[in-house]
Amino acid sequence: MARYWEWSSPFKIVPSETALIIVDMQKGFVDEGFCFYTPDAKAQIPVIADFKQFCKDKGIPVFLSAFVQDPEYHNDYYWFRNKERGLLNDDGTCKLRRGTPDGEITDALAPTGDDTYFTKYTYSCFAHTELEPILREKGIRTVIVCGTCTNWCVDSTIRDAYHKDFNVVALADCISTFPHAGADAETWNKMEFDLWGEGFARVMTAEQAKAEINEA
């Protein structure tokens, strides 16, 4: 079976019809000391920040999501798992709450200018948010996706974008995860990237995407 970089390209990136989605690069996942600190996500900040600025310079709109929850804003299944997953504070309140630093985008990627920041209470950036109608209104046909975590919110966002008939690009060197469910981060990335390349998205590096956009 072909690896993710060996599949042919079914579409080209057209800058005027493209948006960048940065998934959950928030302090709760990226900054040390927070509940879901993911070292690989922190390590990728410089590459993501560079690509974010590149997109802004090219007029490509940038969207940044944050996963948050509270008693009035949550998915019941995830809410039920909070205690078992260590997502409760000592006072019994949940972590990753709206209006706390957990949901703020890490400083190096914080929204500027026309960037769009939005929250979600489940995995996909398209679930219970206004992302899709905003993209449609802007005439977006291709979404470039990066962020964390590979096998949770990034995967869910890529699959939803595919099923909503967007062209999808996944930036391999800008997507991260943590050891989970019996597999280490490297294994998760290898399997997900190959799966996406076969069935859901073009998988390329940030530099490869920049080169194609520059050629356009």
Side-chain angles (χ1 to χ4, degrees):
M1 185 64 70
R3 297 301 310 280
Y4 68 84
W5 61 84
E6 296 174 321
W7 295 99
S8 57
S9 302
F11 63 88
K12 289 290 187 180
I13 303 173
V14 178
S16 62
E17 300 175 350
T18 298
L20 173 64
I21 303 174
I22 301 176
V23 181
D24 298 359
M25 291 294 287
Q26 62 199 77
K27 293 179 179 180
F29 293 98
V30 178
D31 289 18
E32 294 184 53
F34 285 81
C35 61
F36 263 135
Y37 173 56
T38 305
D40 287 354
K42 181 178 181 180
Q44 290 179 345
I45 289 175
V47 183
I48 298 175
D50 176 77
F51 191 80
K52 176 177 182 275
Q53 186 59 52
F54 172 84
C55 286
K56 291 171 71 68
D57 292 343
K58 295 293 184 180
I60 294 172
V62 176
F63 296 81
L64 303 105
S65 72
F67 179 93
V68 294
Q69 55 174 337
D70 61 38
E72 290 76 39
Y73 189 80
H74 66 265
N75 173 276
D76 288 346
Y77 190 89
Y78 197 100
W79 191 256
F80 179 83
R81 286 278 185 258
N82 272 330
K83 183 176 182 179
E84 293 175 291
R85 300 187 69 205
L87 295 178
L88 296 181
N89 296 309
D90 292 339
D91 62 2
T93 59
C94 64
K95 299 179 180 179
L96 299 171
R97 298 193 314 283
R98 284 191 294 182
T100 69
D102 292 88
E104 296 174 2
I105 303 301
T106 193
D107 291 343
L109 298 172
T112 60
D114 294 333
D115 295 348
T116 300
Y117 165 87
F118 65 99
T119 63
K120 59 188 178 67
Y121 62 79
T122 190
Y123 309 123
S124 171
C125 286
F126 292 92
H128 312 293
T129 73
E130 295 301 312
L131 179 60
E132 182 181 3
I134 294 173
L135 294 176
R136 301 292 186 201
E137 184 179 356
K138 291 180 177 291
I140 300 301
R141 299 185 61 195
T142 297
V143 292
I144 302 174
V145 181
C146 64
T148 201
C149 294
T150 308
N151 47 321
W152 290 81
C153 295
V154 177
D155 179 79
S156 295
T157 297
I158 285 173
R159 289 170 182 257
D160 261 6
Y162 166 85
H163 287 116
K164 294 177 183 296
D165 296 323
F166 289 101
N167 296 322
V168 186
V169 174
L171 296 183
D173 54 345
C174 298
I175 294 172
S176 60
T177 191
F178 55 91
H180 190 74
D184 59 25
E186 182 179 0
T187 299
W188 271 114
N189 281 348
K190 176 182 176 180
M191 293 176 64
E192 290 275 19
F193 293 173
D194 285 344
L195 178 64
W196 295 340
E198 181 180 356
F200 297 97
R202 292 183 63 190
V203 184
M204 59 177 67
T205 66
E207 288 302 315
Q208 289 170 332
K210 286 164 69 172
E212 186 167 314
I213 290 168
N214 280 329
E215 288 175 5

